[in-house]
Amino acid sequence: MIFDLPIPILGFAAYSGTGKTTLLEALMPKLTQAGLRVGMLKHAHHNFDVDKPGKDSYRLRKVGASQMVISSRNRFALMTETPEQESEFSYLLSRFDCDKLDVILVEGCKNIAFPKIELHREAVGKPWLYDNDGNIIAIAADTRVESCLLPQMDINDLDAIARFVLDYVNSAQDVDKNVAACCDTLSPAYLSVEQGRDKILNLVSPIAEQETCAIERAFGRVLARDILSPIDVPQYTNSAMDGYAIRGEDIGLESFEVAAQVMAGEAYEQPLGKGQAVKIMTGAPTPSNADTVIMREQAKQTGQSVTFTASAKVGQNVRLAGEDLARGAEVFSTGQRIGSAEMGMLASLGFASCNVTRRLKVAIFSTGNEVQAPGGELQSNTIYDSNRFTLIGMLQNLGCEVFDLGIIEDDESLMIEAVQNAVSQADVVITSGGVSVGDADYIKFALEKLGQIDFWRINMRPGRPLAFGQIEGKPFFGLPGNPVAVMVSFINFVEPALRKMQGQLGWQPLKLSAIASEPLRSRQGRTEFSRGVYQLDSHGQLTVRTTGKQGSGILRSMSEANCLIEIAPSIDIVKVGESVTIIPLQGRI
Ligand code: AMP
Ligand code: MG
């Protein structure tokens, strides 16, 4: 269910003047007579008040009660002041006592994403909403639209509208039962980005197989075992400076006898006697009882005798054995991804190889009759396949082994064959195209025959449609077709899943806050991922602008961007100077 509600929600969307309230007023008795317990949410003008001036509750609120519950035998009301900003839609929904309701109906809130019936009267003279709003699931109007594929009702036929609402509530409850039973449904579900990601992450698990990998080839691999230091680092107590090593107890003596000179790689094996010093180089081991080093710049050596020009403290300029890392201490834990620093660190401990999870095998293909492989002359009515190549790049970046299965025509049996082939050789299958609600259903039929696949509508842009499920126990991702949507969906859903499968632990994408240098728009109820360029301005402040036009097919915007700008579902406008979340892309695509 959407917004984490245990019951269905259904809106009525219309321009003012269409008669929403009048219709709902007439509809409500039909719903309640059928046994439905209805909750209603309505958006009103900003200065509305349910209270009446002069009433006790009104007076108490006016002098400062920010929440006020007033109750009597028959009803109670909670009034909450929200002077800073209007409460979020999902928060308002959470105020309902859903145990006592079967459905929440919403009047207004046109711009928030959840299923709605569009009400339309020709006489009002306003445009249709359904062609720009994928949340509209039916229309009730005083005219028929032949080109519209949604269920249509007569706006004056209240029985038909009531039947639609009752069916909607019943089928939503059925879907919910199915979800509870098998986590699977073929009807498109609405999910937030987090909900989609959580569901996916819950369904994938790390691969068990591991292998040994030479350190020089370990870049990007994930450690399959904890690394304990086999040695003390540093291995021996040594000098941090070029200078003279002495016994701390001798500090204050007038002059010292220089007993020897110790270079890096050498050692002075005897203990120092009283008043003795050794001339020592940085990194060279200090004599067993020398615990203090005086730097060369503070020393004057004449022949075999040295005097010091500055006072010294016991223990200064000496690095103790095991000071950085003691033998047996944990250096890295299982699940650490190996980068350049880790390669150096492992080598510094004497490891020539390490245990890593085996490479993840990922099969990919593109779908669509209009999609043509690059290399030949562009045919009429076709486009070159770009999705496979962005996917190959992003997968290589994650250290995966890619099985490129090319382009599959829009055909059910070819699709079945391709997916079976993919599943037989890979751990994960990723396709692009063919999962939008408007698409031909052949992919859906094919996937339905092969395994348990959910078709989701994610409240995000770009990248709303997403198919996810398991075929023979292997995760399947059906990404949208639009090139930018493919990349944004990959970043949000596929990458976290692959990282988990590779055994990487504790990975979170880097998110920062930057000041918008241009106004940004989104739509309430969905997460907007604009392509952005962030930089430090002349005051040292992180600022961000978009790359310009944000169409989901404009791959150039991804290439120009160095970050995604993430506008949360609760925000519809970000003004210049306001801060916004950015997700740097460096190292990810
Ligand atoms: P679909 O979801 O299959 O309807 O595709 C949505 C849009 O993405 C259509 O305009 C497709 O032509 C385009 N598209 C689909 N697959 C690819 C691909 N592999 N490379 C580039 N564009 C694609
Ligand atoms: Mg297609």
Side-chain angles (χ1 to χ4, degrees):
M1 289 284 179
I2 48 176
F3 296 113
D4 284 332
L5 278 178
I7 55 172
I9 173 171
L10 182 61
F12 289 82
Y15 284 96
S16 61
T18 312
K20 278 194 298 260
T21 309
T22 314
L23 182 137
L24 281 164
E25 198 181 356
L27 186 67
M28 192 75 72
K30 294 185 186 293
L31 301 177
T32 54
Q33 271 156 32
L36 219 55
R37 298 169 301 170
V38 179
M40 281 249 30
L41 193 156
K42 182 183 161 73
H43 188 258
H45 290 293
H46 65 275
N47 51 0
F48 96 97
D49 200 334
V50 290
D51 225 350
K52 287 206 186 81
K55 291 282 177 201
D56 294 356
S57 54
Y58 187 93
R59 286 162 49 202
L60 294 169
R61 280 173 46 223
K62 288 297 147 185
V63 293
S66 61
Q67 294 191 14
M68 172 96 214
V69 171
I70 179 159
S71 110
S72 76
R73 161 67 190 79
N74 289 317
R75 67 192 58 84
F76 78 87
L78 165 63
M79 289 168 276
T80 301
E81 305 302 308
T82 56
E84 296 84 23
Q85 61 179 43
E86 184 165 350
S87 300
E88 275 179 34
F89 187 67
S90 56
Y91 176 78
L92 294 173
L93 290 175
S94 73
R95 305 294 87 195
F96 281 100
D97 182 357
C98 292
D99 288 343
K100 300 194 170 67
L101 296 174
D102 299 304
V103 64
I104 294 173
L105 300 182
V106 181
E107 184 184 335
C109 308
K110 264 212 293 280
N111 298 328
I112 298 174
F114 62 95
K116 289 168 206 154
I117 300 178
E118 174 171 7
L119 305 178
H120 181 94
R121 287 188 199 276
E122 283 293 282
V124 177
K126 291 286 186 188
W128 288 92
L129 299 168
Y130 74 86
D131 20 87
N132 286 316
D133 186 350
N135 297 303
I136 297 205
I137 58 167
I139 58 183
D142 54 1
T143 175
R144 269 200 81 76
V145 197
E146 290 314 325
S147 60
C148 173
L149 299 172
L150 294 171
Q152 298 190 37
M153 295 164 282
D154 181 344
I155 194 168
N156 298 313
D157 185 352
L158 291 171
D159 288 323
I161 301 174
R163 265 198 311 281
F164 183 90
V165 175
L166 290 166
D167 283 350
Y168 173 81
V169 173
N170 286 335
S171 64
Q173 282 164 351
D174 288 348
V175 166
D176 209 30
K177 279 185 207 121
N178 287 342
V179 169
C182 69
C183 297
D184 187 32
T185 166
L186 277 165
S187 66
Y190 289 83
L191 296 175
S192 68
V193 176
E194 290 71 29
Q195 285 170 330
R197 187 162 44 229
D198 287 350
K199 275 173 178 272
I200 291 170
L201 286 174
N202 279 333
L203 280 168
V204 302
S205 30
I207 46 169
E209 297 103 301
Q210 24 178 291
E211 60 195 23
T212 307
C213 178
I215 300 295
E216 62 268 29
R217 281 191 294 278
F219 188 88
R221 305 297 295 272
V222 177
L223 281 175
R225 280 202 210 145
D226 293 346
I227 301 285
L228 305 184
S229 180
I231 54 172
D232 276 329
V233 180
Q235 189 196 359
Y236 44 84
T237 300
N238 66 80
S239 175
M241 290 280 180
D242 289 351
Y244 295 84
I246 59 168
R247 308 186 320 178
E249 67 213 72
D250 291 351
I251 291 174
L253 293 181
E254 193 79 2
S255 76
F256 290 78
E257 173 210 342
V258 180
Q261 172 161 319
V262 188
M263 308 295 281
E266 298 174 353
Y268 182 69
E269 305 289 356
Q270 294 110 274
L272 295 180
K274 186 176 165 71
Q276 280 192 319
V278 292
K279 189 173 184 194
I280 196 164
M281 296 297 144
T282 305
T286 47
S288 58
N289 61 347
D291 55 7
T292 302
V293 169
I294 294 158
M295 59 203 274
R296 196 170 50 192
E297 291 78 355
Q298 297 170 344
K300 248 191 217 137
Q301 187 177 347
T302 334
Q304 291 306 102
S305 165
V306 64
T307 56
F308 302 121
T309 56
S311 59
K313 265 198 217 129
V314 178
Q316 74 179 26
N317 300 330
V318 166
R319 292 189 290 227
L320 297 175
E323 172 182 294
D324 294 348
L325 201 56
R327 179 195 301 249
E330 185 173 298
V331 185
F332 300 125
S333 36
T334 305
Q336 165 82 45
R337 192 174 286 268
I338 301 171
S340 323
E342 288 74 23
M343 288 168 72
M345 185 81 193
L346 287 165
S348 78
L349 300 175
F351 291 103
S353 64
C354 55
N355 272 73
V356 295
T357 50
R358 77 153 164 77
R359 261 184 210 288
L360 206 57
K361 299 176 196 161
V362 184
I364 58 168
F365 58 85
S366 300
T367 72
N369 292 343
E370 81 283 22
V371 181
Q372 182 191 332
E377 198 181 318
L378 191 62
Q379 311 289 302
S380 52
N381 307 321
T382 66
I383 50 165
Y384 285 126
D385 182 3
S386 56
N387 292 343
R388 236 170 351 120
F389 301 89
T390 44
L391 285 174
I392 290 172
M394 292 188 291
L395 289 166
Q396 283 176 350
N397 192 41
L398 284 168
C400 299
E401 192 180 337
V402 183
F403 294 74
D404 180 358
L405 305 186
I407 303 165
I408 310 298
E409 275 173 45
D410 289 332
D411 173 279
E412 191 178 322
S413 57
L414 290 177
M415 178 77 189
I416 290 182
E417 206 179 299
V419 175
Q420 279 170 336
N421 180 19
V423 167
S424 71
Q425 43 189 326
D427 305 304
V428 183
V429 183
I430 305 175
T431 70
S432 69
V435 293
S436 320
V437 176
D439 279 325
D441 281 333
Y442 73 94
I443 284 196
K444 284 172 203 147
F445 292 141
L447 294 175
E448 199 178 352
K449 284 184 187 155
L450 289 165
Q452 297 170 343
I453 307 292
D454 289 326
F455 287 83
W456 292 337
R457 288 205 255 175
I458 308 284
N459 284 323
M460 69 186 272
R461 193 176 74 170
R464 188 160 78 135
L466 180 72
F468 175 77
Q470 311 238 2
I471 297 170
E472 292 173 23
K474 302 193 172 164
F476 172 93
F477 292 88
L479 304 183
N482 276 314
V484 180
V486 164
M487 296 192 78
V488 173
S489 308
F490 185 97
I491 288 168
N492 277 290
F493 304 108
V494 185
E495 181 184 343
L498 297 183
R499 286 183 185 271
K500 181 173 177 189
M501 292 183 76
Q502 290 172 327
Q504 187 174 4
L505 292 177
W507 179 80
Q508 294 287 334
L510 174 65
K511 292 192 180 188
L512 303 170
S513 183
I515 300 295
S517 58
E518 68 180 85
L520 303 165
R521 279 179 177 282
S522 175
R523 188 207 272 172
Q524 280 228 345
R526 76 177 174 205
T527 309
E528 186 94 20
F529 292 100
S530 303
R531 274 70 72 204
V533 178
Y534 71 92
Q535 59 179 43
L536 283 182
D537 69 10
S538 54
H539 308 294
Q541 168 68 53
L542 209 54
T543 61
V544 68
R545 62 173 170 87
T546 69
T547 54
K549 247 178 127 192
Q550 295 287 308
S552 61
I554 308 174
L555 205 46
R556 218 186 139 85
S557 69
M558 236 18 235
S559 162
E560 287 167 358
N562 63 6
C563 69
L564 292 177
I565 306 171
E566 182 187 56
I567 307 176
S570 57
I571 296 169
D572 50 7
I573 279 190
V574 179
K575 299 196 192 100
V576 172
E578 288 183 341
S579 57
V580 70
T581 301
I582 59 169
I583 306 171
L585 290 171
Q586 200 188 24
R588 291 184 72 184
I589 56 170

